[in-house]
Amino acid sequence: CLKCILNTFLNQNVTTENYKFTENGIYKVPVEDNMAGLRKYVSVLPDIDDPEIFGMNENANLTYQKQESEFLINVILMVQPASRSSSGGKSPDEELLNVVKKIQNNLPEPIAETDVNKSLFD
């Protein structure tokens, strides 16, 4: 539940030294107080967050991977050349272009250097 997850991040223990958000200790309150130290801390964090940080078990990750695999297989099947018929359906290239457009529409806008603190792009 949301309250349980928030309680992990918003409690009095967060201000104590070496507080860990997860039992494995990967996610903890950084002790660095300068930008270089914080960047170093962030650079060692995993590229893909472990479900534990969100209060979930490993099955959540397996479910996610299964969904992503099914999506990829469906995309491959959708753009696979079908048998030719006179039904006037879309060509494989048109199908692929539609998929690409859908993906592009779901991507977030790039962050412009002018919209944020300059030191973030050093």
Side-chain angles (χ1 to χ4, degrees), residues 60-94:
N61 199 25
L62 295 174
T63 301
Y64 168 75
Q65 290 175 354
K66 181 180 178 222
Q67 289 173 343
E68 287 295 303
S69 298
E70 288 174 354
F71 174 76
L72 180 60
I73 289 169
N74 286 334
V75 168
I76 291 170
L77 291 174
M78 189 171 29
V79 297
Q80 181 179 353
S83 61
R84 298 284 176 187
S85 66
S86 59
S87 64
K90 294 181 180 178
S91 71
D93 289 341
E94 291 172 322

Side-chain angles (χ1 to χ4, degrees), residues 71 75 96-108:
F71 174 76
V75 168
L96 179 60
L97 187 58
N98 285 338
V99 171
V100 169
K101 286 180 182 178
K102 285 180 186 177
I103 292 172
Q104 286 176 332
N105 289 337
N106 289 326
L107 292 175

